[in-house]
Amino acid sequence: MAERPYIVGNWKMNGTRAMLSEARAIDRAAQRYMKVEVAVAPPYTLIHAVHKEAEQIGVGAQDCHPGVEGAHTGDINASMIADAGAKFVILGHSERRQGHGESNELINAKIESALEAGLRVILCCGETLETRDAGDAESFVLNQIKAALPLFGEPAERLTIAYEPIWAIGTGRTATSEDIEAMHRSIRELLNETYGEEASAAVRILYGGSVKPDNAPEILATPEVGGALVGGASLSAETFLGIVVGASESEEA
Ligand code: PGA
């Protein structure tokens, strides 16, 4: 694949200023693995501080409100996170869809607002175990993406897709290489149809769900896997960097 592998740490609701030393360690080490694009998405409260530490890694947010500024107590919009130093935003994560009832429609609006603010977007998709067992995983995931894509007025180059089967998130279970490859190929076909093959090639499709240093090499070597969205294992520089090293080696292989 033309683009470098993209390894993104999603810190979720973890991290106080004490975590800045981990961010610094990740950043310094990432400078040794230039064949890999490394990024972290800390909680809102740490975006600016991590941005100030970061010389090499990208810094992003885990969500944003779709609106402009105004009377939305407790919310933070795309231009605010961009102002804090974020370069990208993760949208449509299953924990937002399930825990906050986010619909594809809302995610679509968030994507538009993020692109408008100049951010890159990581759009998450993924099915439940019931959906997979019913044989509907592929159509479910493609529908999630299609529901967000029609209003994209932007070139594909600011888009990343993260396929994260819900049953693999934080559970220690990962999908098989065959399942990952099949889903990523279907997503690629959809992107080819939507953007044309040349523009689609700029869109990396990440895998997420219990990615760890020991399973990362196999996952990252799977065709059409352009990187990983990493939750739990991104909270320590040591384990996160273990995944970055795996990605770097897969580039050399
Ligand atoms: P996990 O989380 O690596 O802890 O499974 C991945 C994610 O939710 O992005």
Side-chain angles (χ1 to χ4, degrees), residues 10 12 93-95 124 164 168-172 208-212 229-233:
N10 172 11
K12 307 193 179 184
H93 192 283
S94 60
E95 287 153 14
C124 299
E164 302 198 299
I169 295 176
T171 59
S210 299
V211 178
K212 307 274 182 276
L229 184 55
V230 184

Side-chain angles (χ1 to χ4, degrees), residues 32-56:
R32 296 201 300 275
Y33 301 102
M34 301 295 281
K35 288 186 183 137
V36 183
E37 186 173 348
V38 182
V40 294
Y44 289 132
T45 47
L46 291 180
I47 290 174
H48 190 60
V50 174
H51 161 70
K52 291 194 81 165
E53 291 288 344
E55 290 171 8
Q56 178 63 32

